[in-house]
Amino acid sequence: MPVNLSAPDPSKLFPVAGVRIGVAEANIRKPGRKDLTVFLLDEGASVGGVFTRNHFCAAPVQLCRQRLDERQPIRALLVNTGNANAGTGEDGLRRARDTCEALAALLNIRPAQVLPFSTGVIMEPLPAERVVAGLPAAIADAQPDHWARAAEGIMTTDTVPKAVSARAMVGGAEITITGTAKGAGMIRPNMATMLGFLATDARVDQALMRQLALELAAGSFNRITIDGDTSTNDSFIVIASNRAANAPITALDSADGQALKRAMLAVARQLAQAIVRDGEGATKFITVRVEGGKTPDECRRVAYAIAHSPLVKTAFFASDPNLGRILAAVGYADIDDLDQTKIELYLDGVHVAAQGGRNPAYREEDGQRVMRQAEITVRVHLGRGSAADTVWTTDLSHEYVSINADYRS
């Protein structure tokens, strides 16, 4: 069961002018599932993306990087679930190219204007012929208001589709932002999430798009972990259709650029947190906030040490306030000159550790009361400076093991 997360209301997902979405059932892995999605972009859209840092990256990731580096004017995104097309070598690249060529032919655009995305089982050949056969139905289904269908069409082990919309005033005009993402396991992205697509109708210079994607990922999808694994297929794409009436944004550090980033980051952060809430087997949503560091980077290292620890995560699942495990994780977070006598630990409002040891006023029943909650904040103060950072994670349950043991069946 996802933690305080429900499926989005389609009526509250705003169409983004210049973007149409179509979804089809292509029987890529299992019959009767929405598993093929196309995003069709009007001419003139600006597109940027960031991708997994896993060196064993999937064929579609390789093609996307190449095409964005070549600054091709992107006109379509092609997404399949059920098969990751990773660990498939040159044959996987050929199959990814074949599907892009088929979609390009149907849309009368160049193959290099199509970005492919795959998610699912690794080291199995992509059934390209099924993808190609499903493309006409996906194109015929394409509508501006199909964001909820897209959220369903990109799911794998997710239990709830994930999509968010917002409107904001930027550059003297109202803009629309809508995004969708998928992911529930193999989540500790170094850039984004397994798959995420965020679109706005704002007018944004193409030269800014990669940096915008990087900065949005840094504040959202780069702050989540479920199991510490970085996928072979992580991809986060940001689209600006350039159809709104705002003054064109040509610098991210301008007032309009910062307003756009704030609005888009709010949506990206909701999507990222939705992935954590729907983590495989998750029963709790945990915020890990580390303050008082010398740099944000060392705060992040401490936060991830806590969030990745199987001992910490299983304690949260059991609602067991065995909180010395958190202090142990702080200690092995690779800060050589850490002074443990300055460490303060809080569980929500409960002051657990003071000056590196158990707070004399701490009572076990207070810790257990917080641990029983579905949403918990762990706050650590390092006593080293003024930097801070936050990550979001889950507990680790029996169900996580069951899901992943049965994933291919």
Side-chain angles (χ1 to χ4, degrees), residues 8-9 13 147-148 151 161-165 178-181 271 274:
D9 180 350
L13 298 175
W147 283 95
K162 303 163 183 70
V164 178
S165 272
T178 301
T180 183
L271 290 171

Side-chain angles (χ1 to χ4, degrees), residues 16-19 42-47 200-206 209 239-249:
V16 175
V19 179
D42 287 356
E43 193 170 1
S46 301
V47 179
T200 179
D201 57 359
R203 299 170 69 189
V204 185
D205 192 312
Q206 172 62 47
M209 294 305 293
I239 301 162
S241 67
N242 292 305
R243 297 285 296 275
N246 64 292
I249 296 171

